[in-house]
Amino acid sequence: MIAAFAVLLARVWGNPIATWWNFRIGPWIDSVEEWIILHRGNHWLFRWGFDPIARWLHNLVQWDLNALHFVTWPGLIALVVVVAARVSGIRAALTAGAAVFVIGGLGVWEPAMVTVALMLVSVAIVLALGLPLGILSARRPAFERRTRVVLDAMQVMPAFCYLLPCVLLFDIGYPPAVVATVIFALPAAIRLTSHGLRGVPDRLMEVGTAHGATARQSLLKIQLPVARPALLLGINQTINLALGIVVIAALVGAEGLGQEVLAGLQHLDVGQAFDAGLAIVAVAIVLDRLTAGRPLRAARKFRRDRTPERARIEMLAGAGAVVIAIVAGKLWSSGAFPTSIDFSLHDPVNRVVEWCRDNLRTGVPIVGGTGSISDFTVIHLLDPIRDFLTQRPWWEVICGVTAVAWITAGRRVAAACAIALLVVTGLHADGSAGGSIWIDTMDTLSQVLVAVVISMLIALPIGIWAGRSERFFAAIRPLLDAMQVMPAFVYLVPVIGLFSVGRVPGIIASVIYALPPGIRLTALGIREVPPETIEAARSNGATKFQILTKVQLPLALRSIMLGLNQTILMVLSVVVIAGLVGGGALGVDVVYGLTKSELGLGVEAGIAIVALAVVLDRMTQAWAVGVRGVAGSTRLRTPPRAIRIGKTKLLDQLETA
Amino acid sequence: MTTTSGTETTTGSLPASEATSADTPTISCRGVWKVFGPHPERVVGSADADLPRAELEARTGCVAAVRDVSFDVAAGRVFVVMGLSGSGKSTLVRCLSRLIEPTAGDVLIDGDDTAHCSAQWLRDLRRDRVSMVFQHFGLLPHRRVLDNVAFGLEVQGKSKSERHARAGDMLDLVGLSGLGDSYPDELSGGMQQRVGLARALANDPEILLFDEPFSALDPLIRRDMQDEVARLQRELKKTVVFITHDLHEALKLGDEIAIMRDGRFVQVGTPEAVVAHPVDDYVRDFVRDVPREHVLTAGGIMRAPVDGEETAGTVTETTLVSDLLPIVVESERPVAVLDGDGRVSGAVDRLIVLRALAEDD
């Protein structure tokens, strides 16, 4: 055995790539693609399967789009204000109305309507599937167990990986965008529903049984209403996730705001991308206000004050306002958003970018300018790591990773890591480095590692501070929320302005995108250290620093580890976007495969990203589980009476689920 | 099982139920077992079942929460099950309405066996005849107090106006008039449990089950609530099974008390019998701190009357020893004890009273 192994090693000794096997996944995908292109028009699978679905989805989106055009922009503002006022209260309604107006003023009304139409269809489908499945998995543990693996895979896999097959099956346009969004947001919808329902305590369910309620009555009268706040937050969260992916769907020709951002990036017209990015945030605000609901106290007051007559008057007034607004919109400039209202930031942004380019690149005292920072990072950080990883023979890297996994996380995780990496060695599509996917994978890994380290270096101190200071936490929370809601594309805009293109801007964008969970979970871990424990330490005469290092940090370690895990997954999920701005490697392979119809390459690169995700996710998750302390997840069970759960908490539940 | 003589309960005022005849107990448990764990049926009646808890768990992986419990509750009576936490009392009360399925044994409600019945029959039983008051109140946080009270009626399918009218009456009954529009978390603990009580009473059940209803409340509020239950019971005459870990509560409310330990009934009897004659050290430990003069009665401690003896004054069998004390202190001669019909049934003197108070058998 050992002799045979040594012979094998000797044969491949020194070669960074495993040349002597090839899984031929890429070529196989290519042949499937070819077959599909040849048979799309006549094969039964398409005529009776995918084509009708695609047509149906396309018609739904188109119908929504027509409806949005029909109500015109004043009508839409009125509609949003009326609905938000009923659901979330007056202040939310005014914010939402203003956001709609801003979208128009940014000059992106048409693409924004496409994005909204895509969102409406996707979210409707996600909820129509997700709520019943969530109820089912809350009530049937066996169903929950069986679907867990599938849901995990759906959540970990970068959206691009299934965007590709979606395009193959549903062709370019709205349908693959909708399908990809559904795949992306469905697991969260199912999990949040099921989590919310299972958060209803047994003793309340027993009340139903004790009164002779049927299973149906228990569900409708106890479980669903008690879980309502959690369910609403779940819907809200689902919408945010969907919005993130609808934008990416621009890559498959789905138009909308994503296309605007993409075009801006491709032409290095930062102003254009900036306007569209702002509009995306505005859409996110509108959708959030439409679904957020009222806080507990306000909701009760609203319910108490609302007599039937008053409800009827409100209904009529709301409907009347919408109708009047629609008529007004029709009469005034035939419903198109007037071009005279314009607060586009296109030109000022571009001027700022130019100024930065001219003044900050080089020659800034001490730091030396962004260009110098960028060069320094590449030469002293990225290149050495990349060279180390790509020039070692593949089996050395695998053995090293497996050994680390074995020692720190146990046998099973080590096996998973080894298998995942071995799969990558058999991928030989013609990647951006001109070699096999393995080289690109190592390149991406080096960037991911650097991004994760920088993220954690920033997140830890901020998180510790936020964990110890209530005021600071309250101050940065909206910022963290915004950072996560905003599509990753948007971060690229200022980064490109400052750093041009290359690996460094990709890393910086990843860092910004990945910061919130790291900060949040660190802060959460520290905040959840029981006050009695800290009091005990203080009564023993511990200094503030001792309390931090001997009590708070050790107890928060588990939560911090989960933060590390989430940071890694976030960085991996934007590998493709980083690739767009010159990160190269796997990201660029995927984009290239997608846009140039090289699906084989795209899928192989996608598989490599998943393999990296498996390795890093499994390892860090095992670390988090292995640590004693306050678990970010276990202590976050929603108590039944805390009707208003902080959105962040739910988000973290989702992330740690 | 001891029959009570000290309390006057008239069976004549019972609501006429078609199944209730004079000799059918409203609740009847026959050899009820509840064993949690793998193959629970194997434990029932086996030699293992007599093992202490830890040994049983080590040997079979099972926990016997209720072991071979039998008792009857006559209509209109209050049966209190008392024990420390983990003694199986909450499991037992859930077996009565089959919220927990007993592993073995029969539970008969008005003579109807609950074991071999359809799900619908069981639902109807819970809807119409049995109500429960929970330790943690079990109020639904999303419903107003009024809708919480009306929950049982809603489940039955009663119309909104009908159930709201009834729920309003129930709130008046428990002293929460005008709070129907509040939400549960806006009320104090004591008020929340009043809502729980009102909800249990709303469907006018024959049987009320209380599962440690007041253990989450402050001592003062607990006493208020006990008085409230005593008052309601005087007015409504339900058949009650009351679970508690508080001996004073048990003595105050119970017509009959069962002391439960490790799933078994250690002793069943009137409050007086339990205090006066504890069967073993476990029960004796429990009742040690009870002021005996507030529980023992003349009827319980008296000796047989001696013909022709001279007595000074009379008391009835139900007179508490605390009331008897000043009388015997004043009098050298024994005091005559009269039964319900006014006939002399016994006598007490100083020595008997002192011995009863000092007794620690």
Side-chain angles (χ1 to χ4, degrees):
Chain A
M1 272 293 281
I2 295 166
F5 191 62
V7 170
L8 270 177
L9 283 187
R11 244 192 98 178
V12 295
W13 191 270
N15 190 345
I17 308 168
T19 47
W20 41 279
W21 60 38
N22 190 345
F23 298 143
R24 308 188 110 344
I25 294 175
W28 180 75
I29 295 282
D30 284 339
S31 65
V32 170
E33 183 186 12
E34 228 163 85
W35 182 89
I36 287 176
I37 290 166
L38 277 177
H39 294 86
R40 175 166 272 147
N42 50 32
H43 196 268
W44 60 268
L45 198 57
F46 291 94
R47 279 169 79 184
W48 308 112
F50 294 112
D51 285 355
I53 296 176
R55 260 199 309 280
W56 180 67
L57 290 176
H58 180 88
N59 289 341
L60 275 181
V61 176
Q62 195 58 53
W63 188 88
D64 270 1
L65 205 49
N66 293 343
L68 286 169
H69 281 145
F70 174 78
V71 297
T72 70
W73 68 271
L76 190 63
I77 291 179
L79 194 62
V80 163
V81 169
V82 167
V83 174
R86 169 72 183 80
V87 177
S88 314
I90 293 295
R91 272 183 63 180
L94 294 179
T95 316
V100 178
F101 192 68
V102 165
I103 294 171
L106 288 168
V108 287
W109 185 262
E110 286 302 317
M113 288 307 106
V114 175
T115 298
V116 170
L118 279 172
M119 280 294 297
L120 290 176
V121 174
S122 309
V123 170
I125 295 176
V126 167
L127 295 183
L129 294 174
L131 293 181
L133 288 175
I135 292 174
L136 194 65
S137 75
R139 291 174 85 84
R140 301 248 188 290
F143 178 81
E144 201 264 328
R145 268 200 308 280
R146 257 174 244 146
T147 50
R148 191 181 297 156
V149 186
V150 183
L151 296 188
D152 276 348
M154 282 161 84
Q155 277 190 314
V156 169
M157 211 182 295
F160 288 90
C161 296
Y162 42 78
L163 212 49
L164 295 165
C166 283
V167 171
L168 258 187
L169 297 175
F170 297 100
D171 211 347
I172 296 275
Y174 301 144
V178 171
V179 174
T181 309
V182 169
I183 295 175
F184 185 71
L186 189 57
I190 294 176
R191 286 202 158 140
L192 288 170
T193 305
S194 142
H195 187 91
L197 290 181
R198 265 180 290 147
V200 177
D202 290 343
R203 58 191 167 79
L204 287 185
M205 298 306 292
E206 190 185 34
V207 169
T209 323
H211 281 88
T214 59
R216 197 186 143 83
Q217 282 174 325
S218 291
L219 177 69
L220 292 180
K221 290 183 192 296
I222 299 181
Q223 208 172 11
L224 281 177
V226 172
R228 201 181 97 114
L231 295 182
L232 280 182
L233 273 177
I235 292 174
N236 195 283
Q237 206 58 47
T238 305
I239 290 175
N240 281 342
L241 286 173
L243 187 61
I245 216 72
V246 156
V247 172
I248 290 181
L251 282 175
V252 292
E255 300 170 10
L257 291 172
Q259 189 97 64
E260 296 287 308
V261 179
L262 198 61
L265 289 180
Q266 278 165 349
H267 306 138
L268 287 181
D269 181 351
V270 176
Q272 184 189 359
F274 190 81
D275 276 353
L278 275 188
I280 291 170
V281 176
V283 171
I285 290 173
V286 172
L287 294 172
D288 179 74
R289 295 305 188 276
L290 283 176
T291 50
R294 281 165 223 267
L296 177 64
R297 243 166 243 288
R300 285 182 176 171
K301 188 166 158 21
F302 178 72
R303 250 184 24 200
R304 278 188 195 137
D305 294 350
R306 203 157 182 266
T307 55
E309 306 90 74
R310 203 175 141 182
R312 209 169 317 128
I313 293 169
E314 277 174 7
M315 262 283 269
L316 284 175
V322 171
V323 169
I324 291 170
I326 291 175
V327 172
K330 295 268 179 218
L331 294 176
W332 184 18
S333 69
S334 70
F337 200 90
T339 45
S340 52
I341 304 173
D342 179 14
F343 20 86
S344 163
L345 297 173
H346 183 267
D347 296 337
V349 167
N350 276 351
R351 273 199 295 280
V352 170
V353 169
E354 265 165 48
W355 183 86
C356 291
R357 203 174 289 160
D358 297 343
N359 297 295
L360 293 185
R361 270 285 150 78
T362 51
V364 177
I366 305 169
V367 287
T370 54
S372 318
I373 293 177
S374 178
D375 292 343
F376 180 87
T377 314
V378 169
I379 295 167
H380 295 284
L381 210 58
L382 279 171
D383 279 350
I385 298 178
R386 179 174 72 174
D387 292 347
F388 176 80
L389 287 171
T390 51
Q391 283 163 13
R392 307 311 302 169
W394 57 274
W395 55 268
E396 267 188 38
V397 175
I398 294 183
C399 287
V401 170
T402 309
V404 171
W406 195 320
I407 293 164
T408 60
R411 219 171 34 202
R412 293 185 58 168
V413 175
C417 292
I419 291 171
L421 288 177
L422 274 174
V423 167
V424 177
T425 60
L427 305 173
H428 291 285
D430 197 8
S432 57
S436 85
I437 293 290
W438 176 259
I439 300 290
D440 287 355
T441 307
M442 290 302 109
D443 189 353
T444 295
L445 179 59
S446 71
Q447 295 177 41
V448 166
L449 289 179
V450 170
V452 168
V453 169
I454 296 177
S455 278
M456 286 314 280
L457 283 181
I458 300 174
L460 272 177
I462 297 182
I464 290 172
W465 188 13
R468 291 163 64 99
S469 155
E470 189 65 46
R471 271 171 65 194
F472 181 64
F473 191 57
I476 62 169
R477 224 157 104 173
L479 190 66
L480 294 181
D481 281 342
M483 278 167 83
Q484 275 188 322
V485 169
M486 211 143 20
F489 273 124
V490 177
Y491 302 132
L492 293 179
V493 175
V495 172
I496 291 181
L498 284 171
F499 292 91
S500 181
V501 291
R503 273 180 288 167
V504 173
I507 285 174
I508 291 175
S510 316
V511 167
I512 300 174
Y513 189 62
L515 269 181
I519 295 177
R520 192 170 270 158
L521 282 166
T522 305
L524 221 61
I526 289 188
R527 289 160 61 87
E528 288 199 341
V529 173
E532 309 89 68
T533 316
I534 293 174
E535 201 175 23
R538 192 176 300 135
S539 73
N540 280 331
T543 63
K544 271 193 167 179
F545 183 74
Q546 283 173 325
I547 289 177
L548 178 66
T549 52
K550 290 185 193 300
V551 179
Q552 286 177 314
L553 279 182
L555 283 176
L557 192 57
R558 186 163 189 178
S559 191
I560 294 174
M561 280 298 166
L562 281 172
L564 172 66
N565 173 273
Q566 290 307 306
T567 304
I568 288 175
L569 289 185
M570 299 288 274
V571 168
L572 277 170
S573 72
V574 292
V575 155
V576 175
I577 288 161
L580 272 178
V581 292
L586 292 179
V588 126
D589 293 344
V590 172
V591 176
Y592 191 79
L594 201 56
T595 49
K596 298 284 190 285
S597 265
E598 293 255 4
L599 277 187
L601 170 64
V603 169
E604 285 203 351
I607 292 173
I609 294 176
V610 174
L612 280 183
V614 168
V615 171
L616 296 171
D617 176 52
R618 285 303 205 71
M619 225 191 287
T620 47
Q621 223 168 52
W623 295 349
V625 173
V627 170
R628 270 169 199 277
V630 188
S633 54
T634 51
R635 298 213 30 195
L636 288 174
R637 278 198 56 154
T638 42
R641 283 176 57 195
I643 297 280
R644 188 151 196 235
I645 320 156
K647 187 183 190 173
T648 52
K649 285 208 169 184
L650 206 79
L651 207 117
D652 292 319
Q653 278 171 1
L654 162 73
E655 285 164 355
T656 50
Chain B
M1 222 164 279
T2 331
T3 49
T4 52
S5 57
T7 42
E8 299 120 313
T9 315
T10 45
T11 46
S13 65
L14 273 179
S17 163
E18 61 286 348
T20 316
S21 64
D23 51 350
T24 313
T26 304
I27 301 171
S28 178
C29 272
R30 295 272 149 264
V32 170
W33 286 79
K34 179 64 198 181
V35 181
F36 294 102
H39 303 295
E41 66 288 344
R42 287 186 197 162
V43 174
V44 174
S46 71
D48 287 346
D50 292 327
L51 293 173
R53 169 179 291 267
E55 258 179 78
L56 175 67
E57 197 177 353
R59 186 173 297 189
T60 63
C62 290
V63 175
V66 177
R67 311 184 196 206
D68 194 18
V69 166
S70 303
F71 66 93
D72 290 336
V73 187
R77 314 275 296 171
V78 178
F79 186 83
V80 176
V81 180
M82 215 218 74
L84 300 178
S85 55
S87 60
K89 51 198 193 308
S90 284
T91 309
L92 176 64
V93 76
R94 280 169 174 72
C95 287
L96 298 183
S97 62
R98 281 197 131 68
L99 287 176
I100 291 178
E101 196 64 26
T103 311
D106 297 319
V107 176
L108 296 104
I109 305 286
D110 291 332
D112 299 327
D113 191 349
T114 57
H116 312 287
C117 57
S118 67
Q120 184 59 46
W121 189 89
L122 207 53
R123 269 202 295 277
D124 286 340
L125 175 80
R126 292 169 185 160
R127 284 179 182 185
D128 303 330
R129 287 154 71 189
V130 183
S131 274
M132 192 155 170
V133 180
F134 298 90
Q135 181 178 8
H136 296 289
F137 318 145
L139 302 183
L140 304 174
H142 63 287
R143 286 171 169 247
R144 293 178 303 160
V145 163
L146 192 69
D147 288 317
N148 260 296
V149 175
F151 180 75
L153 303 168
E154 190 178 332
V155 166
Q156 289 177 16
K158 294 266 164 47
S159 77
K160 193 167 185 172
S161 55
E162 190 182 346
R163 60 181 196 246
H164 276 181
R166 173 84 186 154
D169 293 345
M170 288 302 113
L171 285 177
D172 295 343
L173 185 67
V174 299
L176 290 180
S177 311
L179 286 172
D181 271 343
S182 310
Y183 283 84
D185 59 0
E186 295 166 340
L187 302 183
S188 70
M191 286 157 106
Q192 289 189 34
Q193 193 56 296
R194 280 171 198 263
V195 176
L197 197 54
R199 180 175 64 186
L201 292 171
N203 57 349
D204 194 19
E206 190 187 341
I207 298 171
L208 274 174
L209 306 177
F210 289 83
D211 178 23
E212 295 199 42
F214 309 137
S215 55
L217 303 177
D218 296 338
L220 288 181
I221 295 172
R222 195 183 307 165
R223 206 167 62 200
D224 277 355
M225 293 300 292
Q226 288 160 2
D227 293 341
E228 182 82 17
V229 167
R231 175 181 73 81
L232 287 170
Q233 177 60 11
R234 274 196 303 278
E235 286 175 23
L236 304 172
K237 299 262 188 292
K238 303 290 183 189
T239 307
V240 174
V241 174
F242 195 106
I243 307 293
T244 182
H245 62 240
D246 176 352
L247 183 69
H248 291 272
E249 190 166 274
L251 295 174
K252 188 167 182 176
L253 296 173
D255 294 326
E256 206 169 5
I257 296 177
I259 311 277
M260 202 169 178
R261 181 193 187 185
D262 272 357
R264 279 186 201 288
F265 279 2
V266 182
Q267 184 172 11
V268 183
T270 59
E272 190 182 356
V274 170
V275 172
H277 309 290
V279 293
D280 62 8
D281 289 343
Y282 183 74
V283 182
R284 194 167 299 123
D285 236 18
F286 260 122
V287 300
R288 174 161 299 155
D289 297 331
V290 174
R292 300 165 71 92
E293 68 275 16
H294 290 308
V295 180
L296 302 183
T297 60
I301 61 170
M302 67 190 181
R303 62 169 164 77
V306 179
D307 281 338
E309 86 182 307
E310 285 189 41
T311 56
T314 56
V315 293
T316 62
E317 286 181 352
T318 57
T319 305
L320 288 174
V321 171
S322 57
D323 297 329
L324 194 61
L325 269 171
I327 302 174
V328 291
V329 165
E330 290 298 316
S331 156
E332 294 285 340
R333 279 174 293 182
V335 176
V337 181
L338 305 180
D339 66 9
D341 301 328
R343 281 192 299 261
V344 174
S345 58
V348 287
D349 53 29
R350 282 181 191 167
L351 200 62
I352 291 174
V353 171
L354 282 176
R355 209 174 267 153
L357 289 179
E359 206 164 18
D360 197 21
D361 55 345

